[in-house]
């Protein structure tokens, strides 16, 4: 019987857990045994007793890891803490391969087969396994809620006996999964919403959600979409045209949410100090990319920075601020991945070497780093 170990997260500020009672029950139904580190789910509102009720054993880390065939995590654990697992055990988690490159080498030396879930390809059959999409969705929602909470005015237009309160103007920069959810949330709260992106294909998506699309027209390079639907770096001509357009638009906004990320590279700078200075005092900017260097000049993780009367906020780990829901979705992503490759006869998941998903997410195997993106 294959043994699945669920570890308690040790990274600073990490509140999520890699398995829910729901997915524990489903793994056991597949024929696996599940062992959960005591307290692993507490910060995500899941007690040890809830795991035990679904058939999992709960204990200290050494007992949980002993003879484990599959190790589940939200973030990559310290390689030194991985002891006693079965030879060639899989480590399935968000491993930050570019940011923690040396740690990947340590996983190889430790003999684990490290599978980076954030490298999941953007293909139809992998959509339900995509941790970046599931976590970004809730992060986009949370960004708007947090911005609204420190904005000193109401979002919707209100007509009262004492007069009219104008609707807030919200501008979303970057229309991936997080940006689309930010548009929808800001609209539900009653704001007047506009949005922009380097990918022209998103214009229709923006308008379908009832927001105004703000785009650079007639400049080469508008099709800023790379492999897997991610944004790419743009031409200098496009960047200059975008900066001019954004500068004139941003000065009229009350709330700005920036979401732009490029895999494996620092976040692109979208808002300069001069653009911040053009905004009205009391405006709020939420930088969802602050942990990757930030889209906004002067933003700092987990701090409220005030510049020119504008509040700039951003969390190092936004999904961790919605731990119960983000954990539930993350857990389903991991279950959907493992169950899709589950061999009923073998009683365990099997990753074919020639599979597109295998090639994308496998970082290490047989003591070596094997992922092409890392070796390149």
């Amino acid at each position: 019987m294959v043994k699945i170990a669920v570890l308690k997260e040790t990274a600073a500020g990490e509140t999520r857990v890699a398995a829910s009672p729901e997915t524990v029950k489903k793994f056991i139904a597949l024929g696996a045994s599940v062992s959960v580190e005591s307290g692993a789910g507490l910060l995500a509102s899941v007690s040890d007793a809830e795991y035990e009720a679904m058939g999992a054993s709960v204990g200290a880390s050494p007992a949980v890891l002993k003879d484990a065939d599959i190790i589940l995590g939200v973030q990559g654990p310290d390689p030194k803490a991985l002891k006693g697992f079965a030879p060639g055990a899989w480590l399935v988690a968000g491993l930050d391969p570019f940011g923690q490159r040396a740690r990947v080498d340590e996983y190889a030396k430790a003999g684990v087969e490290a599978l980076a879930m954030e490298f999941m390809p953007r293909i139809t059959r992998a959509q339900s396994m995509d941790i970046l999409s599931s976590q970004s969705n809730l992060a986009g929602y949370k960004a708007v809620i947090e911005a609204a909470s420190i904005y000193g005015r109401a979002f919707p237009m209100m007509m009262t006996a004492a007069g009219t309160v104008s609707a807030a103007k919200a501008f979303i920069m970057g229309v991936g999964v997080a940006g689309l959810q930010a548009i929808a949330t800001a609209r539900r709260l009653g704001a007047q919403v506009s949005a922009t992106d380097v990918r022209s294909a998103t214009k229709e998506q923006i308008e379908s959600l009832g927001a105004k699309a703000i785009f650079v027209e007639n400049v080469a390079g508008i099709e800023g979409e790379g492999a897997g639907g991610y944004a790419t770096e743009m031409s200098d001509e496009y960047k200059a045209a975008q900066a001019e357009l954004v500068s004139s638009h941003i000065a009229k906004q009350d709330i700005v949410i920036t979401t732009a990320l490029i895999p494996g590279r620092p976040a692109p700078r979208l808002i300069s100090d001069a653009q911040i200075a053009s905004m009205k005092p009391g405006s709020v900017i939420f930088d969802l990319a602050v942990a990757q260097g930030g889209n906004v000049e002067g933003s700092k993780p987990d701090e409220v920075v005030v510049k020119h009367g504008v509040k700039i906020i951003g969390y190092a780990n936004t999904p961790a601020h919605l731990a119960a829901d983000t954990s539930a979705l993350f857990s389903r992503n991991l279950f959907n991945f493992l169950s899709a490759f589950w061999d009923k006869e073998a009683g365990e998941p099997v990753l074919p070497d020639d599979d597109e998903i295998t090639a994308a997410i496998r970082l290490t195997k047989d003591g070596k780093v094997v992922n092409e993106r890392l070796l390149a």
Side-chain angles (χ1 to χ4, degrees), residues 93-155:
L95 299 177
D96 189 15
F98 292 120
Q100 300 284 347
R101 180 64 182 81
R103 191 172 67 182
V104 176
D105 292 330
E106 291 298 312
Y107 289 146
K109 290 177 185 176
V112 296
E113 184 169 331
L115 305 174
M117 290 297 289
E118 63 266 66
F119 275 12
M120 190 65 66
R122 293 230 162 151
I123 56 178
T124 301
R125 69 188 176 97
Q127 285 180 346
S128 67
M129 313 171 192
D130 187 352
I131 63 169
L132 294 182
S133 291
S134 73
Q135 304 304 287
S136 294
N137 197 323
L138 284 162
Y141 161 82
K142 186 64 172 176
V144 175
I145 297 300
E146 289 299 308
S149 74
I150 70 165
Y151 178 54
R153 297 180 174 89
F155 259 48

Side-chain angles (χ1 to χ4, degrees), residues 198-199 223-227 230-234 261-262 265:
V198 297
R199 298 162 296 174
E223 301 294 340
E225 188 164 323
Y230 292 101
T232 59
E233 286 280 10
M234 304 304 296
L261 289 171
I262 299 174
R265 305 186 66 172

Side-chain angles (χ1 to χ4, degrees), residues 17-18 58 111 116 136 147 174 192 195 207 234 242 248 267 282-283 309 324 332 362:
V17 65
V58 175
S136 294
Q192 292 180 10
E207 292 172 344
M234 304 304 296
Q242 184 190 43
S248 62
S283 300
R332 288 177 197 147
R362 182 186 277 159

Side-chain angles (χ1 to χ4, degrees), residues 122 174-177 179-180 196-206 215 221-226 228-232 234 238 242 259 261:
R122 293 230 162 151
V175 189
V177 175
L180 289 170
T196 191
D197 196 283
V198 297
R199 298 162 296 174
S200 61
T202 62
K203 187 173 183 179
E204 187 177 321
Q205 294 173 306
I206 293 168
F215 274 84
I222 183 65
E223 301 294 340
E225 188 164 323
Y230 292 101
T232 59
M234 304 304 296
Y238 180 87
Q242 184 190 43
T259 74
L261 289 171

Side-chain angles (χ1 to χ4, degrees), residues 4-337:
I4 298 174
V6 181
L7 299 181
K8 183 177 181 179
E9 298 298 313
T10 58
E14 185 55 79
T15 60
R16 292 170 291 174
V17 65
S20 64
E22 172 197 342
T23 60
V24 165
K25 182 178 180 180
K26 288 180 176 179
F27 279 127
I28 291 172
L30 287 175
S33 67
V34 181
S35 188
V36 180
E37 185 174 352
S38 182
L42 288 180
L43 295 179
S45 304
V46 184
S47 68
D48 289 348
E50 289 176 86
Y51 287 121
E52 289 175 323
M54 292 300 164
S57 62
V58 175
S61 178
V64 169
L65 281 170
K66 182 174 172 54
D67 299 324
D69 300 291
I70 299 171
I71 303 164
L72 303 184
V74 175
Q75 296 194 40
D78 182 348
K80 296 183 180 67
L82 298 178
K83 296 176 181 178
F85 55 82
W90 293 4
L91 172 61
V92 185
L95 299 177
D96 189 15
F98 292 120
Q100 300 284 347
R101 180 64 182 81
R103 191 172 67 182
V104 176
D105 292 330
E106 291 298 312
Y107 289 146
K109 290 177 185 176
V112 296
E113 184 169 331
L115 305 174
M117 290 297 289
E118 63 266 66
F119 275 12
M120 190 65 66
R122 293 230 162 151
I123 56 178
T124 301
R125 69 188 176 97
Q127 285 180 346
S128 67
M129 313 171 192
D130 187 352
I131 63 169
L132 294 182
S133 291
S134 73
Q135 304 304 287
S136 294
N137 197 323
L138 284 162
Y141 161 82
K142 186 64 172 176
V144 175
I145 297 300
E146 289 299 308
S149 74
I150 70 165
Y151 178 54
R153 297 180 174 89
F155 259 48
M157 183 182 77
M158 296 182 182
M159 301 183 72
T160 76
T164 300
V165 174
S166 298
K169 294 179 179 177
F171 182 38
I172 315 302
M173 302 184 72
V175 189
V177 175
L180 289 170
Q181 184 56 250
I183 291 170
T185 302
R187 285 271 297 158
R188 285 195 291 266
L189 289 177
Q192 292 180 10
V193 185
S194 56
T196 191
D197 196 283
V198 297
R199 298 162 296 174
S200 61
T202 62
K203 187 173 183 179
E204 187 177 321
Q205 294 173 306
I206 293 168
E207 292 172 344
S208 72
L209 289 171
K212 181 179 180 182
I214 306 297
F215 274 84
V216 174
E217 305 290 351
N218 304 318
V219 175
I222 183 65
E223 301 294 340
E225 188 164 323
Y230 292 101
T232 59
E233 286 280 10
M234 304 304 296
S235 66
D236 289 339
E237 182 188 6
Y238 180 87
K239 287 178 180 177
Q242 184 190 43
E244 183 179 348
L245 177 69
V246 166
S247 290
S248 62
H249 186 70
I250 210 170
K252 307 166 192 171
Q253 304 305 304
D254 302 302
I255 306 290
V256 179
I257 311 291
T258 66
T259 74
L261 289 171
I262 299 174
R265 305 186 66 172
R269 181 56 49 83
L270 301 183
I271 300 179
S272 67
D273 184 72
Q275 290 169 324
I276 297 168
S278 74
M279 296 178 70
K280 294 174 284 187
S283 300
V284 177
I285 303 173
F286 194 108
D287 187 349
L288 267 170
V290 69
Q292 286 75 37
N295 297 144
V296 183
E297 185 174 348
S299 65
K300 296 179 181 178
D302 302 318
E303 291 185 28
V304 178
V305 177
V306 180
K307 299 183 75 174
H308 312 292
V310 177
K311 294 176 182 175
I312 306 166
I313 58 176
Y315 294 139
N317 184 349
T318 306
H321 289 260
L322 286 166
D325 284 334
T326 50
S327 294
L329 297 184
F330 193 101
S331 299
R332 288 177 197 147
N333 291 144
L334 299 194
F335 175 79
N336 290 338
F337 161 61

